[in-house]
Amino acid sequence: MTPCLPATIQTERLLLRPPQLADAAALFAAYTQDAGVAHYMTWTPHVDLAQTQAFLEWCVKAWEGGRCLPYVLTRQGDATAIGMLEARLQGHCVDLGYVLGRAHWRQGYMSEAINAFSRVALALPPIYRLQATCDTDNLASVRTLEKSGFRREGVLASHTVHPNISAEPRACFIYARCRDR
């Protein structure tokens, strides 16, 4: 059974919504070409707008399939995309990934988005667990997850290749937030 996550989630300052092909220029400007933002990601910085457009085409198709829901983050009252939160549905578990444009770092936007998503997702009967991994050196992501109510469960050795750091898989922390019982 695939949970029925909403197409939009609102917070006090943000709107999480499905991606649109028209978001490409804003995402390219905000972060897809930024090497600093891509540092701990599993992708390399985009060299041109066409790469971001192709990525958004994949995101739109992913929504249609319903197993992977990449939400675009915008500020309330401003339709400009500033980041994304991806929810990968895995039965009773949702695996999260996220990214935010550098101009919006250290403002609490991502923890606000993750918190809102978590409340909505964990209220759905089939979902019991949300999880996310981050490189053990990515202290900003560690803080974001902990501020969002996630608990560190351990270290996954040689888990994820971060091509902007190394061609070899690196250790990652595994974090989870589970439904209260």
Side-chain angles (χ1 to χ4, degrees):
M1 172 183 194
T2 301
C4 187
L5 288 162
T8 61
I9 299 171
Q10 292 189 41
T11 73
E12 182 179 326
R13 301 181 298 163
L14 299 171
L15 173 67
L16 286 68
R17 62 163 172 80
Q20 302 167 359
L21 297 178
D23 293 321
L27 290 176
F28 186 75
Y31 74 84
T32 63
Q33 47 62 46
D34 186 328
V37 172
H39 185 72
Y40 289 111
M41 296 295 148
T42 58
W43 45 270
T44 56
H46 294 185
V47 296
D48 58 32
L49 182 59
Q51 277 186 279
T52 305
Q53 290 168 330
F55 167 68
L56 279 169
E57 288 171 9
W58 178 89
C59 289
V60 168
K61 287 180 183 163
W63 264 90
E64 293 167 2
R67 300 294 302 163
C68 179
L69 304 175
Y71 288 88
V72 165
L73 277 62
T74 67
R75 289 172 293 181
Q76 287 285 357
D78 181 355
T80 306
I82 63 170
M84 295 187 78
L85 183 148
E86 185 175 280
R88 297 173 288 270
L89 306 171
Q90 303 170 346
H92 70 278
C93 180
V94 178
D95 188 62
L96 296 179
Y98 47 90
V99 62
L100 188 64
R102 182 190 304 265
H104 307 286
W105 289 0
R106 295 180 199 86
Q107 298 176 46
Y109 286 133
M110 191 52 70
S111 57
E112 183 176 325
I114 293 171
N115 254 319
F117 178 85
S118 297
R119 283 190 302 275
V120 168
L122 290 171
L124 297 173
I127 298 176
Y128 288 85
R129 175 185 172 87
L130 306 177
Q131 67 183 27
T133 60
C134 67
D135 190 278
T136 56
D137 290 339
N138 189 347
L139 301 180
S141 195
V142 164
R143 283 190 303 275
T144 296
L145 289 168
E146 290 175 353
K147 282 175 46 179
S148 302
F150 283 64
R151 291 197 176 112
R152 186 184 307 172
E153 294 184 328
V155 177
L156 304 172
S158 299
H159 185 264
T160 303
V161 173
H162 298 279
N164 303 299
I165 302 171
S166 171
E168 295 185 11
R170 294 171 51 88
C172 288
F173 292 126
I174 176 93
Y175 278 85
R177 181 170 168 178
C178 299
R179 183 188 305 169
D180 295 333
R181 293 187 185 230

